Amino acid sequence: MTNKINISVTHSIVINQTCETVWDFTQDFSKCTLWDTSMIECKLISESPERKAAIKAKGGLQAILEYKIFDRPAKTTLRMTDIKAPIIVGDGGDDRKLFFS
């Protein structure tokens, strides 16, 4: 049996724009590689019944992001599925959250 290590990452920045402007920019997968330097490729693959995106990132990570909450412009919560990566075996369910105040 392998030992699992749980990792949580939190990061905050101040952006002098409206919440809606920031939301629309960060949730547009055609622009993801402009602001997330770890991403090689990102594309939206479905809007409904559930919003999903396919990603390829540096280090060999490939996954599907499945949104659990998509509450514009307040909060997103998602999980990774179909993970192909050298060191990741799962995500914890809601590893990527964006909060705007």
Side-chain angles (χ1 to χ4, degrees), residues 32-82:
C32 188
T33 57
L34 297 175
W35 61 269
D36 187 340
T37 58
S38 68
M39 290 295 162
I40 297 169
E41 184 180 326
C42 306
K43 65 181 175 183
L44 190 62
I45 55 175
S46 84
E47 279 286 350
S48 72
E50 186 175 62
R51 184 175 167 89
K52 294 182 183 181
I55 63 162
K56 289 183 184 177
K58 293 178 182 174
L61 170 66
Q62 293 183 44
I64 303 296
L65 306 180
E66 295 181 354
Y67 282 77
K68 298 296 151 193
I69 297 173
F70 191 72
D71 181 15
R72 181 184 186 267
K75 177 181 176 181
T76 62
T77 301
L78 55 86
R79 68 184 184 134
M80 286 193 295
T81 63
D82 300 325

Side-chain angles (χ1 to χ4, degrees), residues 23 26-27 35 67 73-77 96-100:
W23 178 278
T26 61
Q27 298 307 306
W35 61 269
Y67 282 77
K75 177 181 176 181
T76 62
T77 301
R96 184 175 184 174
K97 297 177 185 177
L98 300 174
F99 296 94
F100 300 100

